[in-house]
Amino acid sequence: MSITDTAGGVKRVPALRFSEFEGTWVEKSLEDLNVEISDGNYGEMYPTQEQFVSDGVPFIRANNLRDGTIRSDDMRFISPELHEVLRSGHLKLSDILVTTRGDIGMVSFVPLEFVGANINAQLCLLRNADRSDQFFIFSYLNHHVAKRQFAELTTGSALKQLPRKNLKKVRIGIPSLPEQKKIAKFLGVVDAKIAALKARQEGLERYKRGLMQALFGQRLRFTKPDGTAFPDWEEKRLGEMFYWHKTNSLSREKLNYEDGEAQNIHYGDIHTKFQASFKQAVETVPYISDGALSKDIAEDELCKVGDLVIADASEDYEDIGKAIEIIELTDTPLVAGLHTYIARPKGDVVTGFSGYLFRCAEMRKQIMTIAQGVSVLGISKTNLEKLLLALPHPDEQQKIADALQAMDAKIAAVAGQVAKMEDFKKGLLQQMFV
């Protein structure tokens, strides 16, 4: 039961607490805590495209905030001279950033490497809370209670935003300063563990990219068991090695993630989440909703092990022609839907090899050159059939597939550890905050 203090704040007690602390927490708004909240640069102060430079002061946008920190991916830069005249930004260590447009409610703690950076209008800057630990406030703003408040305080329909005046109304539970610091220190250790695991995952992913470049660039070759070399790789057209198999035209609206008699590969999932070596039991694949099909699925429409499923449409070159290879199936029937092609091997292609082949740099360059379109890119079967595939001996294909699958297994294991630690942290936030 909540208790209200004489100042109008709401007092509560967390479910999980360090033993040396007692008493109730007081709920106060960011405005009550005298948090300085300022907008990023906008209007006449926003840099034009011509003012961005290749190297200079980082100019942080909403898409640079991920996982509680600032990522350098797709970072823009402004000159030191422009930075000095911009009225907002000028980040300090331990500042807190909150996205107020786009993906609203993303929260980041400013690390040392981004001290002195600047921000755009998609962000608000929080600084100098009264009698509060900055990392405690940051952690609380990542709590689901704060996330719910962000959603409730968001305005607009077509163009949603979280105005600064509304952000000031966000309420958080506040214990004594010593307890805040103890909680913040503990969560900092958890965050450091998560960061270390993510760094390890990213390192493995970089190593895998380098390994793929070496293998498919033929700078790194396997040998036969007796130590002798495999034959030279052969170049063959895709049309010589694969034939086309039937797909359907089911859109996302006719799929669900709850139940159904068959599962359907959607091209958007090939773009965003499916691994090159596709295992049906591992991937989260949507079901076909009841009534979505006008007739039963025929046996010859089902995907088979070894099928290469290619996305034939995309809004950008990065994902056009992206493919997965089906290497394991479950008992649930599987088909491929809208904007996909199924290329089925005619022979001499080892299961597990072609999925990686289609994601190597050499193949991606070829695919990008045959993509057509302006706002939406497309790729035809006729043009795909002309692609040149560099194919090693089947035994060398197997060794390449085994090596890359082993790397994927290591990456997946670390990703699983990251997920467990993040779930652990989420549970802590739910019990340690009120």
Side-chain angles (χ1 to χ4, degrees), residues 151-366:
E152 292 170 351
L153 293 167
T154 294
T155 63
S157 52
L159 183 61
K160 294 183 179 297
Q161 60 179 326
L162 177 61
R164 180 164 57 95
K165 65 178 182 179
N166 286 6
L167 185 56
K168 291 180 178 181
K169 299 177 183 177
V170 171
R171 303 184 69 82
I172 65 177
I174 294 290
S176 67
L177 188 58
E179 187 171 3
Q180 290 179 48
K181 291 184 176 296
K182 185 76 177 271
I183 293 170
K185 183 178 180 180
F186 177 71
L187 291 176
V189 172
V190 175
D191 281 345
K193 176 65 173 177
I194 294 172
L197 287 170
K198 286 182 176 179
R200 185 182 175 196
Q201 181 182 346
E202 291 170 359
L204 288 171
E205 289 170 346
R206 284 194 301 272
Y207 180 83
K208 179 191 167 186
R209 289 193 295 270
L211 181 61
M212 286 186 66
Q213 289 174 357
L215 289 170
F216 289 104
Q218 301 182 51
R219 297 189 302 277
L220 176 64
R221 294 287 304 275
F222 288 100
T223 58
K224 295 179 181 179
D226 62 4
T228 59
F230 282 111
D232 291 341
W233 291 29
E234 297 182 0
E235 281 195 341
K236 294 188 178 181
R237 301 285 180 185
L238 183 144
E240 298 177 66
M241 304 302 300
F242 293 84
Y243 66 94
W244 302 112
H245 190 63
K246 187 177 181 180
T247 60
N248 63 64
S249 58
L250 292 176
S251 61
R252 183 74 80 178
E253 291 72 27
K254 295 184 178 180
L255 308 176
N256 74 87
Y257 284 93
E258 296 175 1
D259 56 60
E261 295 184 1
Q263 291 180 302
N264 187 86
I265 295 173
H266 189 273
Y267 77 103
D269 295 332
I270 297 176
H271 289 167
T272 58
K273 65 180 183 179
F274 289 161
Q275 296 296 309
S277 293
F278 176 94
K279 298 179 180 180
Q280 190 177 358
V282 174
E283 304 286 4
T284 303
V285 189
Y287 293 92
I288 299 174
S289 301
D290 291 341
L293 294 172
S294 58
K295 60 179 182 178
D296 293 338
I297 299 172
E299 183 68 25
D300 66 356
E301 296 178 75
L302 300 178
C303 293
K304 292 184 178 181
V305 169
D307 282 351
L308 195 67
V309 186
I310 306 170
D312 76 340
S314 174
E315 294 181 355
D316 55 59
Y317 282 99
E318 183 178 351
D319 290 324
I320 186 63
K322 204 169 185 180
I324 60 171
E325 181 187 3
I326 298 170
I327 65 169
E328 286 184 12
L329 290 170
T330 67
D331 293 334
T332 303
L334 179 70
V335 294
L338 184 69
H339 290 308
T340 64
Y341 297 140
I342 293 179
R344 182 161 292 173
K346 296 177 181 179
D348 294 330
V349 181
V350 170
T351 299
F353 176 77
S354 59
Y356 293 116
L357 173 63
F358 263 70
R359 295 203 180 186
C360 75
E362 291 78 5
M363 285 301 302
R364 292 302 307 156
K365 289 176 184 176
Q366 283 193 71

Side-chain angles (χ1 to χ4, degrees), residues 12-26 131-133 135-137 139 173-187 431-434:
R12 296 189 180 95
V13 177
L16 182 64
R17 199 172 194 183
F18 292 105
S19 59
E20 65 266 37
F21 298 105
E22 57 183 22
T24 55
W25 291 28
V26 179
R131 295 287 299 164
S132 297
D133 183 90
F135 194 82
F136 176 86
I137 292 178
S139 299
I174 294 290
S176 67
L177 188 58
E179 187 171 3
Q180 290 179 48
K181 291 184 176 296
K182 185 76 177 271
I183 293 170
K185 183 178 180 180
F186 177 71
L187 291 176
Q431 296 185 72
M432 295 183 75
F433 291 135
V434 299

